[in-house]
Amino acid sequence: MRRPTRDDVARLAGTSTAVVSYVINNGPRPVAPATRQRVLEAIERLGYRPDTVAQAMASQRTNLIGLIVPDARQPYFAELAHAVERAAFARDHLVLLGNSAYDDERQLHYVRAFLGMRVSGLLLIRQGAAEPLVEEVSGSRTRLVLLHHRTDLINTDAVVADDVTMGVLAVEHLLGHGHERVACFDAPAGTPRTGNPVALRTKGWRQALRDAGIDPERGLLHRAPFDRYGAARAARRVLSRPNRPTAIFCTTDDQAIGVLHAARELGLRVPDDLAVASCDDIAEAALHHPSLTTVATDREAMAEAAVDLVLQSRQASTPEIRRFPARLVTRESCGCPPASDL
Amino acid sequence: MRRPTRDDVARLAGTSTAVVSYVINNGPRPVAPATRQRVLEAIERLGYRPDTVAQAMASQRTNLIGLIVPDARQPYFAELAHAVERAAFARDHLVLLGNSAYDDERQLHYVRAFLGMRVSGLLLIRQGAAEPLVEEVSGSRTRLVLLHHRTDLINTDAVVADDVTMGVLAVEHLLGHGHERVACFDAPAGTPRTGNPVALRTKGWRQALRDAGIDPERGLLHRAPFDRYGAARAARRVLSRPNRPTAIFCTTDDQAIGVLHAARELGLRVPDDLAVASCDDIAEAALHHPSLTTVATDREAMAEAAVDLVLQSRQASTPEIRRFPARLVTRESCGCPPASDL
DNA sequence: ACCCGCGTAGACAACGAAGTCACCGCAGCC
DNA sequence: GGCTGCGGTGACTTCGTTGTCTACGCGGGT
């Protein structure tokens, strides 16, 4: 009942253990076809699988990628995590998943645990400040790539979207529908803003208004929670005021869904009484009622780039930041006719 | 720049390596407080972290749980995976996540890869037949627990919901609203049905109709894809027929969301022209428009039970199946007044 | 002086592979 | 017949721990 080892295979195949390793790893020495065949047959008969732990021990490498997200239940992160898993699978790596739950300590716990596992790469949608994380990782040979959040000033790679443009595209489109009071739902108060994609999207909102000759006045900028219920609560407040906006730009689809819910409760029709546009293009955006106008990014491509970066054993000379373009997807919530998505 | 080892700690603390291990593992031998203190300080100063790989190598145990789901993007699985991660975290274990993508081979690949990693437990929302998986795992000391799907006849543990009752609750409620033509959206054709929760929910539909003296006629049972777009396509066909149902029971919320979308396209008002109820109670169900009446299960509790089962080193005498109760959540889609969910 | 036992020291064998190295047998070649 | 190169051998080290085993110092009881 003992799990077969390399020695068992060698014995059955009538070869030495070294040859078994050569066959498995295709090298570093050539093996004659006949011998290789005998070894493969022995492996097959014993149902031998090399022990990954022992391999990691000996080779000082693992086939593990650590991925830390704030909350894998949220569609955006779930889709990103899925894309990372696909990319890792294609490169014969496994994914260790941790949820930071928007908690700095928990995030640090996972970083340490993953380093302890000797992951060959660490992918992180960071929470809080970046410095402690980078410091924790420096000194290990493990590579760290930040996903989603940019980090200038910090010596680590990142894969991000062109967040400013995302805001600009969405807001320009709302302006194109004739709106002038376009509010913005930004990140909740207290969120660190350096390199934060949400802060950049808000910057895009500001920029688009200015370019249209409109003053991005303070009364239009709202700090709202990221979760749907929190966003709905915030929206109820904003929409109940006398001088309510005629359009809202949300920095995430999740917020937008909360806003739509609040609008419905208040008897406001979307898009007639209130237009909404947001960012991310999660799967739900297309099937929501009304469907969401949003700015999409190519998550698959971003995840692949991140995995490639993290597995690439290049010397870290200067941090590499890969930025991906954004694309507006018009649907009902802004006032465009519903596309036949199906 | 080399990562510090236990030897470095022992040298700095002026003790032997054994004592360092005793301190870290709290045993098996006692350590005098003063010595313990010196060791802890040395660990602190060096920033020493035990190498998890080496620990696994020597102790023949890992702190890894392998979790395989069909598609972690789908809200139901995402929520389940999140709950598993939480439970694992609380028990100081890490989660390896794999998506089987509804593909038998890929699922098997992950089972093998995770066994190769010597995970201490394997949690599986299975895809396809259970036998090959159980066979693959038997022989290793790893425990396998099936989540979501029941498997009688097979020698392995499982954590499931009371799926038949889920169907009964939803359908009885629809009948209570006065509907008589209650259709059922079942799994797509070709899905294995033994122990499949969806098949059991359909059984609940049949049972509820019979109990109400209604014939669950063939024309009311529809095989529909699980994804939203596929379900929407199926719904368009069903709802365009002359003798269309006045209510639809969907075995998953995802299907229901597709049905709602199709109804809207066809100009049918929900719940007036068509009532809908489903199962799962994903987060989205509450904020959809109209909000979804659905049958909920306690995913947190199920995930915890699954993790406990998989980590429990009990001798597998007879497979343990833990079944969790279901609870109807009434919202708009069935005709009930909208609850103030927030 | 002798024994006892606690707390620790120090050594060492696992664990299962990777990788290295010296060496060997054999076929083909000039 | 000696040389070369290929394919293979078998033993050994390494990786960083765990866990076990023997030995030792030292204080207290007899």
Side-chain angles (χ1 to χ4, degrees):
Chain A
M1 219 50 182
R2 201 183 97 266
R3 178 175 172 150
T5 72
R6 197 186 45 164
D7 289 17
D8 300 325
V9 175
R11 207 171 309 123
L12 181 60
T15 69
S16 71
T17 57
V19 175
V20 178
S21 281
Y22 297 159
V23 169
I24 291 172
N25 306 330
N26 284 320
R29 296 249 231 125
V31 176
T35 317
R36 148 170 273 114
Q37 193 52 38
R38 285 214 319 283
V39 170
L40 290 177
E41 274 166 19
I43 288 177
E44 180 65 26
R45 275 185 46 197
L46 291 175
Y48 168 74
R49 315 255 163 219
D51 184 318
T52 318
V53 176
Q55 282 180 320
M57 189 72 190
S59 64
Q60 297 290 69
R61 298 182 265 101
T62 62
N63 62 338
L64 292 175
I65 291 178
L67 172 64
I68 304 177
V69 301
D71 181 349
R73 284 175 302 187
Q74 290 176 31
Y76 178 77
F77 298 131
E79 291 172 19
L80 206 48
H82 182 265
V84 166
E85 187 265 357
R86 264 175 64 100
F89 177 82
R91 288 156 188 77
D92 202 27
H93 279 246
L94 299 178
V95 174
L96 277 167
L97 179 67
N99 291 288
S100 68
Y102 294 101
D103 178 80
D104 284 21
E105 245 182 275
R106 197 153 158 176
Q107 178 178 245
L108 192 58
H109 165 90
Y110 270 122
V111 168
R112 287 186 175 146
F114 288 175
L115 288 179
M117 284 293 299
R118 300 198 180 192
V119 294
S120 47
L122 208 46
L123 244 47
L124 186 52
I125 298 179
R126 87 161 202 270
Q127 146 65 24
E131 288 81 355
L133 304 172
V134 173
E135 189 183 349
E136 189 74 27
V137 176
S138 73
S140 74
R141 269 174 231 74
T142 304
R143 292 182 44 109
L144 170 67
V145 171
L146 296 185
L147 249 172
H148 192 56
H149 285 221
R150 174 154 21 160
T151 45
D152 312 316
L153 311 174
I154 301 277
N155 188 31
T156 202
D157 301 333
V159 173
V160 298
D162 186 353
D163 291 292
V164 176
T165 302
M166 290 175 80
V168 169
L169 287 176
V171 174
E172 277 182 351
H173 187 75
L174 289 173
L175 294 173
H177 275 284
H179 294 278
E180 296 194 344
R181 286 189 60 73
V182 180
C184 175
F185 268 42
D186 194 355
T191 312
R193 304 189 71 77
T194 28
N196 191 321
V198 167
L200 295 172
R201 292 170 188 180
T202 297
K203 191 173 162 189
W205 164 76
R206 203 174 275 119
Q207 186 177 311
L209 286 191
R210 286 227 179 84
D211 287 355
I214 300 174
D215 175 34
E217 49 172 302
R218 225 178 170 61
L220 288 174
L221 182 59
H222 306 283
R223 297 305 185 81
F226 283 137
D227 74 281
R228 298 167 179 204
Y229 292 101
R233 278 193 301 275
R236 267 201 297 277
R237 276 199 308 279
V238 170
L239 295 175
S240 305
R241 290 184 192 158
N243 194 17
R244 64 171 178 79
T246 62
I248 297 182
F249 163 63
C250 294
T251 49
T252 73
D253 285 349
D254 265 338
Q255 286 183 332
I257 287 169
V259 168
L260 292 182
H261 193 259
R264 186 149 51 93
E265 279 189 329
L266 295 171
L268 296 173
R269 289 163 307 156
V270 174
D272 306 309
D273 301 331
L274 177 74
V276 174
S278 52
C279 303
D280 285 346
D281 194 29
I282 62 179
E284 203 176 327
L287 286 188
H288 201 83
H289 178 46
S291 58
L292 259 174
T293 290
T294 184
V295 182
T297 54
D298 188 345
R299 278 183 282 290
E300 296 275 331
M302 289 175 68
E304 284 203 33
V307 170
D308 280 337
L309 261 182
V310 94
L311 292 184
Q312 167 188 127
S313 58
R314 166 180 72 82
Q315 294 305 327
S317 47
T318 157
E320 182 164 347
I321 296 188
R322 295 222 189 130
R323 181 173 296 119
F324 283 75
R327 181 174 50 86
L328 181 71
V329 180
T330 57
R331 296 205 186 90
E332 295 168 314
S333 67
C334 64
C336 284
S340 182
D341 259 326
L342 312 185
Chain B
M1 220 48 184
R2 200 183 99 265
R3 176 174 174 152
T5 73
R6 197 186 47 163
D7 290 18
D8 300 323
V9 175
R11 206 172 308 125
L12 181 59
T15 70
S16 72
T17 58
V19 176
V20 178
S21 281
Y22 297 158
V23 170
I24 291 172
N25 307 329
N26 284 320
R29 299 256 228 122
V31 176
T35 318
R36 150 169 272 113
Q37 193 51 40
R38 284 213 319 282
V39 170
L40 290 177
E41 274 166 19
I43 288 177
E44 179 65 28
R45 276 186 43 199
L46 292 175
Y48 168 74
R49 315 256 163 218
D51 184 318
T52 318
V53 175
Q55 283 180 321
M57 187 73 192
S59 65
Q60 299 290 71
R61 301 181 261 103
T62 62
N63 61 340
L64 292 175
I65 291 178
L67 171 65
I68 304 177
V69 301
D71 181 349
R73 284 174 303 186
Q74 289 177 31
Y76 178 77
F77 297 131
E79 292 172 19
L80 205 49
H82 183 265
V84 166
E85 187 264 357
R86 264 174 63 100
F89 177 81
R91 289 155 187 77
D92 203 27
H93 278 246
L94 299 178
V95 174
L96 277 167
L97 179 68
N99 291 288
S100 68
Y102 295 100
D103 178 80
D104 284 23
E105 245 183 274
R106 197 153 157 178
Q107 178 178 246
L108 192 57
H109 165 90
Y110 270 121
V111 169
R112 287 184 174 149
F114 288 175
L115 288 179
M117 283 293 297
R118 299 200 179 194
V119 294
S120 47
L122 209 45
L123 245 48
L124 186 51
I125 298 179
R126 87 161 201 271
Q127 146 67 22
E131 288 81 355
L133 304 173
V134 173
E135 189 183 348
E136 188 75 28
V137 175
S138 73
S140 76
R141 269 174 230 72
T142 304
R143 290 181 46 108
L144 171 67
V145 171
L146 296 185
L147 251 172
H148 192 56
H149 285 221
R150 173 151 22 150
T151 45
D152 314 314
L153 311 174
I154 302 277
N155 187 33
T156 202
D157 301 331
V159 173
V160 298
D162 185 352
D163 290 292
V164 177
T165 302
M166 291 176 79
V168 169
L169 286 176
V171 174
E172 276 182 351
H173 187 75
L174 289 173
L175 294 172
H177 275 284
H179 295 279
E180 296 194 341
R181 288 187 59 73
V182 180
C184 176
F185 267 43
D186 193 356
T191 312
R193 305 190 71 77
T194 27
N196 192 322
V198 166
L200 296 172
R201 292 170 188 182
T202 297
K203 191 174 162 189
W205 164 77
R206 202 173 278 119
Q207 186 178 312
L209 287 190
R210 286 228 180 83
D211 287 355
I214 300 174
D215 175 34
E217 48 172 300
R218 223 174 175 66
L220 288 174
L221 182 59
H222 306 283
R223 298 308 184 80
F226 283 135
D227 75 281
R228 298 167 178 203
Y229 292 100
R233 277 193 301 275
R236 267 202 297 277
R237 275 199 308 278
V238 170
L239 294 174
S240 305
R241 291 185 194 159
N243 194 17
R244 65 171 176 79
T246 62
I248 297 182
F249 163 64
C250 294
T251 48
T252 72
D253 284 349
D254 264 339
Q255 285 181 332
I257 286 169
V259 168
L260 292 182
H261 193 260
R264 187 149 51 93
E265 278 190 330
L266 295 171
L268 296 173
R269 288 163 309 155
V270 175
D272 306 308
D273 300 331
L274 177 75
V276 175
S278 52
C279 303
D280 285 346
D281 193 28
I282 60 178
E284 201 175 330
L287 286 188
H288 203 84
H289 179 46
S291 59
L292 259 175
T293 289
T294 183
V295 181
T297 53
D298 188 346
R299 278 183 282 291
E300 296 275 331
M302 289 175 67
E304 284 202 33
V307 170
D308 280 338
L309 262 181
V310 94
L311 292 184
Q312 171 186 123
S313 58
R314 166 182 73 83
Q315 294 305 329
S317 48
T318 157
E320 183 167 345
I321 296 188
R322 295 221 189 131
R323 182 174 296 117
F324 283 74
R327 180 175 51 86
L328 182 70
V329 180
T330 57
R331 296 205 186 89
E332 296 169 313
S333 66
C334 64
C336 284
S340 180
D341 258 324
L342 308 186

